[in-house]
Each structure stands twice: as C-alpha cells, then as structure tokens.
Amino acid sequence: MLKKFLPATLLTLTTALTLGAVPAAQAAQAAPAASPASAPASAPASDGRISTAFTLPGEKVYPEGIATDPRNHSVYVGSYADGTVYRARPGQRTAEVFLPAGTDGRHTANGLRVDARGRLWVTDSTSGVSVYDTASRRRLAHFEVAGTGGLFVNDLAITPDGTAYLTDSVRSVVYRVTPAQLAAGSGALLPAYDLSGHLTPSPAGSFALNGIVSDPAGRFLLAVDMTAGDLHRIDLRTGAISRVALQGGDLTHADGLDLAPDGTLRVAHNTTNTLTRWHLSPDGTRARLTRTITDPSLQIPTTLSHTPGRTLVVRSQFDKGGPMGPGTPTSFTIASVSF
C-alpha cells in the first residue's frame, strides 16, 4: 500500500497528524498499534449523553467512516487500518464483518455512504472508490484517481440525482461520479471542482478538504477545510465556490459532516473530542453554532451519522497505537449521542 505514495506524501501525512488532521491508514500500518490485551473493555465514562451503540470486533480496527442504510437502518463502518467494512443490523450489539480486509485490493475504508438504492460506496484513500450491492456484497463499480503523485481520497456525498462527490485532502479537489459513469461500472476518477485557489493558506504539508455533504435538494455541496476551520460552498448549478459565513465558532479539526433535512449541520472534530451543531441558512451561505459537546469518551471522533433520535459517532482511537501516536486501545466501539 505504501508503494502507491511518494515519499513526499508520507511526509505530508506526518505533518497532517501534528496539525490534527485525520491521517491515512498507511500511517496506521507504518506505526503498528500496541496490543490491547490488557486494555479496558469499554470507553471512558461520559456524562450520560454518550453511550455505546455497538462494538466492532478486532484488536486493531481503528475505524473512520460510517454510513446508515436509509431503507433498513443497517449501519456500515470502515476500518482505516486494513479496509475491512463492518455491518451492524438494528439491535445488534456487535457488528459483523461485511467486507473482509483487502477485498478487491482495497487498502483503507474511510468515506462511506449508502445511496437511495441501497448501494454502499467505500472510498480507499490510496486509490479511489468502489460501489457494492448490499444484498449480494458484489462490487458493482470501481473508479480510480487518474495520474500520479500524492493523493488522499477522503469523504463523499451523494446528491438526490445519484451523483457522488468525493474530497481529496492532498490535491484539494472534489471528484465526481455521475449515474452514467456508475452504470458503466469503471473509469477514471476525475476532478469536478478545484478548490486549491479558494482555501486559506496553511502550513506546508497540511491536509485540507475532508468531510462533504449535499443539501437535501441537491443545489449545493458543503466541504470542510479541517486545517483552516473553514466551510466551503459549491453551487452545483453555476459551479461557483464561496466560503460559508460561520457565526459563533469555526470548524478547525472538523472531520465528518452530517446535514439533516431541517438544516441542522452536525460536525465531528477529531483531535479535540468535540461535536458541534450548527444551524445552516436555507441557501447554505451562513451557519450559526448552536451546541457543542466535548468529552474524552468520544475517543477521537472522525465521522458521524444522524437518524431521528440519535447520532452515531465513530470512536477512532487513532491516538492509541494508531496513526496519531503510541498507546493501547480499548475495545473499538461506535458511540450513540443525544445530539
């Protein structure tokens, strides 16, 4: 897997960790996790708003992405360490392996989404994205980034017309996969929007774009710059790129985003163990901070998935023998938060 990256990219990755950016699974493999044999069996205690929804089997899972199937409420979680994809059906307390590590040559499983037709999209930060049928587990399509050089395919969003948009944290672009391309089954993953000229200058080697969401009507995308703490709006009709006016806070260390139909934007800030909630204006040009939760029991939250009644949050534990430093992880779990 590391052979896919240039040495400069590995340096970029190390710098990103120092700045609080979410790293690639390559780093997790470069710095092996300590054995959890003597680790506690559960996450640290919280103030009651945070509980454990289910457990992920395995000693070195280091989960990153999460997605909920809108049809049957099954939840999928991806491992940053080896690309395993887990599934937890409603009521299950322990997830099952849905796609084993290395399936179809996949090295990581970070960004996950289930579209309206029940197809599971899984990004591999080292190459691109694959699409699976959740009934048969068969891969339906695969798209890889064209060209050579550093890349980091991170998160994705799917608009109501079935088009997928994916962020690249190194190249600062947003890729696109159209329904026609999906039907073709394979092809190059090509940039649709280049945000490099719109981002706030940041230290060399920083990761930038990370989480991305679409508004329910498919009019615009929101993509976060986790180093600068900015939120960018992409108008899908005109292609115009602008910065969302944030009131009451910023999005530094922001990783996963979730946008509800009522305009509530939920954000996971990884290294600060923080969740924030924002009220987004109908046109997506302004966002006002309405709530903040900071709790060590979130264990470096990377992404989140909100359904009525609860928000599921990935506890990555990247700082416990994973890509953010040495240590011993506890059991890997997904948190349920009243948020």
Side-chain angles (χ1 to χ4, degrees):
M1 173 171 106
L2 294 174
K3 292 180 180 178
K4 287 180 175 281
F5 279 72
L6 297 178
T9 305
L10 298 179
L11 178 60
T12 296
L13 185 58
T14 303
T15 306
L17 300 183
T18 304
L19 295 169
V22 175
Q26 292 88 325
Q29 293 176 333
S35 171
S38 61
S42 59
S46 71
D47 63 3
R49 294 170 295 188
I50 303 171
S51 60
T52 295
F54 57 87
T55 299
L56 302 170
E59 296 183 346
K60 298 180 181 180
V61 177
Y62 298 106
E64 206 280 344
I66 189 169
T68 301
D69 189 328
R71 307 165 308 155
N72 57 26
H73 304 293
S74 291
V75 179
Y76 297 86
V77 180
S79 168
Y80 223 0
D82 61 16
T84 301
V85 176
Y86 302 87
R87 177 174 63 187
R89 301 178 190 271
Q92 281 187 314
R93 298 295 295 173
T94 301
E96 62 185 359
V97 173
F98 180 73
L99 298 172
T103 302
D104 300 313
R106 185 179 56 255
H107 298 292
T108 73
N110 36 315
L112 302 180
R113 296 283 177 179
V114 180
D115 65 23
R117 295 180 58 181
R119 295 170 299 204
L120 175 65
W121 296 66
V122 183
T123 66
D124 181 337
S125 60
T126 71
S127 58
V129 63
S130 293
V131 186
Y132 292 89
D133 178 85
T134 52
S136 66
R137 310 189 191 202
R138 180 173 63 91
R139 188 167 74 168
L140 304 173
H142 177 64
F143 302 90
E144 291 201 359
V145 176
T148 59
L151 72 152
F152 191 92
V153 183
N154 202 323
D155 207 351
L156 75 157
I158 302 174
T159 54
D161 68 354
T163 302
Y165 295 90
L166 306 92
T167 56
D168 190 315
S169 299
V170 170
R171 298 186 179 187
S172 298
V173 299
V174 173
Y175 304 110
R176 176 172 55 204
V177 178
T178 66
Q181 291 171 316
L182 178 59
S186 64
L189 195 56
L190 300 172
Y193 302 100
D194 186 344
L195 278 73
S196 58
H198 299 266
L199 302 180
T200 299
S202 57
S206 302
F207 274 36
L209 298 181
N210 197 330
I212 185 170
V213 290
S214 164
D215 81 300
R219 297 169 299 161
F220 57 84
L221 302 170
L222 299 176
V224 68
D225 177 347
M226 67 184 310
T227 299
D230 298 326
L231 186 64
H232 296 271
R233 181 187 187 276
I234 302 172
D235 191 302
L236 293 176
R237 182 179 62 86
T238 66
I241 300 170
S242 58
R243 193 171 299 167
V244 176
L246 302 177
Q247 178 184 352
D250 61 41
L251 295 178
T252 305
H253 306 301
D255 197 327
L257 307 179
D258 183 283
L259 181 59
D262 65 357
T264 300
L265 178 67
R266 293 173 172 85
V267 183
H269 301 247
N270 48 45
T271 60
T272 57
N273 287 318
T274 296
L275 305 177
T276 56
R277 194 172 71 191
W278 304 74
H279 176 71
L280 186 71
S281 63
D283 62 1
T285 61
R286 304 178 309 281
R288 175 173 53 86
L289 180 65
T290 61
R291 189 178 178 191
T292 300
I293 293 176
T294 298
D295 194 307
S297 74
L298 292 170
Q299 298 179 298
I300 313 296
T302 50
T303 51
L304 68 172
S305 176
H306 179 76
T307 56
R310 69 174 182 175
T311 301
L312 296 178
V313 182
V314 173
R315 290 164 158 161
S316 75
Q317 296 193 73
F318 281 172
D319 62 336
K320 302 297 183 183
M324 287 174 54
T328 302
T330 66
S331 298
F332 289 96
T333 62
I334 300 301
S336 177
V337 186
S338 298
F339 187 60

